[in-house]
Amino acid sequence: MRWWDARARAHAALLSAHAAAVGATADDGPLRWGAWSGAALLAGLVLRPPGGVRAGSDPLLLGEIPCRSEGFLVGRGYEWTSAAAQEALEQGRAAPRPEGDLVLPASLFEQHVLILGTTGTGKTRLLELLALQAVARGETTVVIDPKGDDGLETRIRRAAGDRFRLFSLPHPRRSVRYNPIGRYRDVREVADRIAALLPSSGDALPFRNFGWEIVHTAAREMHGRTPMTLRNLKRAAIDRPVGPLAARPREHYLKTASALIPVLSKLATDQLSPEDGGLTWEAADEGRWAVYFSLGSLLGYETASAVAKMALLDLQSYVGGRYAYAKGRTPMWLFVDELGDVATPELVNLLNKSRGAGLRVVACGQTAADLEAALGSRARALQALGNANTVFQFRAQSAPDAEVFARMAGERLLRTRSEGAAYEPALLGSGFRTVDDFRARFSESFEWRDRPLVPPAALVELPRFHYFARWEGRVYRGRTALVS
């Protein structure tokens, strides 16, 4: 039971009142002291729930999944205007304003949504709220959860019912099997998916190129003869090289494949190498499944990241075919938690071109720097940010992180007040005595300057579950909703 639940707080209030009554009627000193102490403690829990959720910053609790024809509920709040920014500039914070439901138009999801914020501020809960609404609409939903959030998985499963499919690296016994290289139109796609997992910076680039060439050769030999799975690919490329690969000197060949060997060794498992059956995007789209990837990155980061990246590349291939041959289908949703763990340059291409195929992407990340580190350059990170038409910013950890959203929100002309004071000796004074008479002049001036509509300080101080958001050129301040 959450401490911010109204029911729990009501019970605490009743216990507090009872303890206060005992303290008022007790004759024994220690008993009276204990009763009053208990009453004070319980009253404190009612007025200020533990866990960092302060009075006035509680999330919005929902008893059921909202389903609105006009869009998706993202919480309650109000539009952040120049007047609110002016108050924040002059008084340190804006005065509370009447809140209303914040509904994000469904059409805006075609241009993708990005959710930023530091750990534990509510990003995953907002992603969960949006995913549950997509599932409730009966639309194909894919959730990629690198770390594995049990609460998120449980609620998606409950909402989807028999449409739910789980792929879980930490729990293979209750997981469906999935072949991330089984579907392709050209064998070069197989090489691309494997090469995307190899390092590409500095001295590692030649070995990535060697890896691509080895996989492409092996896949070409396997095509039409052997089922294309990671286990069979490892056998054909490394264990018992096939075709032209077998003619190469073994020792030199293993050196050129040194970057490829550990990747294939980690991924060549039964769970990722079904020769028939298993999860396919065609079946998921046809059945409008809710597919949940729980990857357990805390147990094995590199394997979890590799599976997520290949799943995205496989999905990109399917979306490309969907765009070319099946326009007009219902929307397909992709929700990605911890975007920095799965981002690749190919993901930017997916964001660029998936709109026409009906794919809608909602992704969570901590900072823009995480994207820069994952994608290898600031330019690519800015490309990813630029492809998100709607941005939610929860509490930022530092001013540089906050400034990213502040720049997105833009600037407004705000009034700046400044004061001045000057002191000088009195004009009339004797040269034979010390002058102790002074004249003071005070001044006050106002000027209009371009200031951030959302000050970075306001983003650093946001309570848990609160956010600023920007869509359709407007900025909102809101608090997310939780589905119980």
Side-chain angles (χ1 to χ4, degrees), residues 177-180 227-229 269-279:
R177 297 195 299 169
Y178 169 56
N179 181 4
M228 191 69 68
T229 68
T269 64
D270 288 337
Q271 192 177 3
L272 290 166
S273 299
E275 295 192 356
D276 54 13
L279 172 68

Side-chain angles (χ1 to χ4, degrees), residues 393 399 401-411 452-456 459:
Q393 176 69 64
D401 296 338
E403 287 170 359
V404 173
F405 183 85
R407 287 194 295 268
M408 291 181 184
E411 295 182 336
L453 178 61
V454 181
L459 296 165

Side-chain angles (χ1 to χ4, degrees), residues 10 17-18 32 52 57 59-60 90 103 224 249 305 371 382 428:
H18 179 71
R32 182 185 304 158
S57 67
L60 175 65
E90 294 177 353
V103 179
S305 179
L371 283 176
L382 293 176
L428 300 178

Side-chain angles (χ1 to χ4, degrees), residues 201-245:
S201 59
D203 296 337
L205 182 59
F207 290 94
R208 177 177 180 173
N209 294 335
F210 288 144
W212 188 96
E213 189 268 338
I214 289 170
V215 172
H216 179 250
T217 303
R220 194 175 56 215
E221 293 293 323
M222 292 171 58
H223 179 65
R225 301 184 182 93
T226 306
M228 191 69 68
T229 68
L230 288 166
R231 176 169 288 174
N232 291 340
L233 182 63
K234 176 178 178 290
R235 186 180 297 116
I238 305 299
D239 299 336
R240 294 192 293 274
V242 295
L245 301 177

Side-chain angles (χ1 to χ4, degrees), residues 25-293:
T25 58
D27 295 328
D28 183 62
L31 177 60
R32 182 185 304 158
W33 180 87
W36 280 111
S37 298
L41 175 62
L42 290 168
L45 293 177
V46 174
L47 297 175
R48 185 178 181 275
V53 182
R54 302 191 302 270
S57 67
D58 295 355
L60 175 65
L61 295 175
L62 302 175
E64 59 184 14
I65 300 171
C67 195
R68 304 193 177 204
S69 58
E70 70 273 22
F72 284 62
L73 180 71
V74 294
R76 289 183 64 82
Y78 54 88
E79 184 176 357
W80 183 266
T81 61
S82 298
Q86 186 70 55
E87 290 179 10
L89 178 64
E90 294 177 353
Q91 304 171 19
R93 64 178 59 190
R97 284 166 163 71
E99 292 184 341
D101 288 348
L102 295 180
V103 179
L104 187 60
S107 60
L108 293 184
F109 286 95
E110 296 176 0
Q111 299 167 327
H112 314 309
V113 175
L114 182 63
I115 306 171
L116 298 173
T118 191
T119 304
T121 54
K123 303 188 304 297
T124 302
R125 299 285 74 84
L126 177 57
L127 180 138
E128 174 187 289
L129 176 65
L130 296 174
L132 289 173
Q133 293 178 79
V135 172
R137 287 170 171 248
E139 296 168 349
T140 308
T141 305
V142 181
V143 180
I144 296 182
D145 180 9
K147 60 181 183 294
D149 186 305
D150 289 339
L152 177 59
E153 178 192 328
T154 299
R155 282 182 276 275
I156 296 292
R157 179 192 295 272
R158 186 173 59 195
D162 59 4
R163 295 189 295 125
F164 183 80
R165 298 293 186 276
L166 172 67
F167 178 87
S168 175
L169 283 178
H171 305 98
R173 292 186 178 180
R174 59 186 182 94
S175 168
V176 298
R177 297 195 299 169
Y178 169 56
N179 181 4
I181 62 172
R183 181 190 179 281
Y184 58 91
R185 288 185 172 81
D186 189 287
V187 292
R188 287 176 295 182
E189 293 181 34
V190 178
D192 289 341
R193 294 176 201 177
I194 302 300
L197 311 179
L198 305 178
S200 59
S201 59
D203 296 337
L205 182 59
F207 290 94
R208 177 177 180 173
N209 294 335
F210 288 144
W212 188 96
E213 189 268 338
I214 289 170
V215 172
H216 179 250
T217 303
R220 194 175 56 215
E221 293 293 323
M222 292 171 58
H223 179 65
R225 301 184 182 93
T226 306
M228 191 69 68
T229 68
L230 288 166
R231 176 169 288 174
N232 291 340
L233 182 63
K234 176 178 178 290
R235 186 180 297 116
I238 305 299
D239 299 336
R240 294 192 293 274
V242 295
L245 301 177
R248 301 182 184 184
R250 182 65 176 172
E251 185 176 351
H252 177 265
Y253 177 70
L254 292 178
K255 288 180 179 180
T256 60
S258 59
L260 184 64
I261 293 172
V263 171
L264 291 179
S265 298
K266 291 175 183 177
L267 298 177
T269 64
D270 288 337
Q271 192 177 3
L272 290 166
S273 299
E275 295 192 356
D276 54 13
L279 172 68
T280 64
W281 296 123
E282 290 89 347
D285 197 11
E286 195 68 30
R288 299 188 182 183
W289 292 348
V291 182
Y292 194 96
F293 281 78

